[in-house]
Structures are given as structure tokens and as C-alpha cells.
Amino acid sequence: MKLLLSVLFAGFLGILAFLGPIGIYLLCAIIGGVIFRSFILINEIHKQVVPINDNDRVKEAYERYIKERDEKEKDTNAGL
């Protein structure tokens, strides 16, 4: 059923392209609307799949590294 609808929709878009400037305008408007809606849906999927605080692990690891480095420097300087 989806294949049939896709074929009919493609045929409709092809007919619009042959109707002159108005048909080409409608064709571009339909394609632009589909692309715009696709970007919105991809953005919503991205928000659900990728957690917001994904970079916190990197930040925590960096802070832990800085803390360990400072402790090692204090131990080295205390021994002198």
C-alpha cells in the first residue's frame, strides 16, 4: 500500500513539474516542506537518543585527572 501511495505521489509531483511555473513552485514547496519536516523529526529523535548530560563523564574524568595531578605535585614537592 505504501508503495502504491509513493508511486502515485511521485506521479503527481511529475505532473506538477509539467504545469509550468505554478507547478514547479508547488513542487518546490512540497519538497521543501518534506525536507523541513524531516529535519524537525531527526532533531526530535536526536534529543531522545542522545542524553543531555552526555559530556559530564568527560568533564568528571578531566577533573579527576587534574585532582590526581595536583596531588602528585604536592607529594613530589613535599619530598623536596
Side-chain angles (χ1 to χ4, degrees):
M1 188 66 175
K2 288 184 180 181
L3 178 61
L4 178 64
L5 290 175
S6 297
V7 170
L8 292 175
F9 186 67
F12 175 70
L13 293 179
I15 291 171
L16 284 178
F18 288 115
L19 292 179
I22 295 174
I24 293 173
Y25 174 75
L26 290 174
L27 178 68
C28 291
I30 291 170
I31 292 173
V34 168
I35 291 173
F36 183 72
R37 181 64 180 155
S38 298
F39 283 142
I40 290 173
L41 291 175
I42 289 171
N43 189 22
E44 290 177 7
I45 291 170
H46 177 74
K47 286 179 183 178
Q48 291 181 1
V49 172
V50 177
I52 295 172
N53 298 326
D54 192 30
N55 293 332
D56 284 346
R57 290 184 294 173
V58 175
K59 188 175 181 180
E60 290 173 5
Y62 177 72
E63 289 173 356
R64 187 173 55 242
Y65 165 75
I66 296 295
K67 185 177 178 182
E68 290 174 2
R69 186 187 68 181
D70 291 342
E71 288 175 1
K72 287 181 183 178
E73 287 180 3
K74 286 179 184 178
D75 291 342
T76 305
N77 291 336
L80 293 177

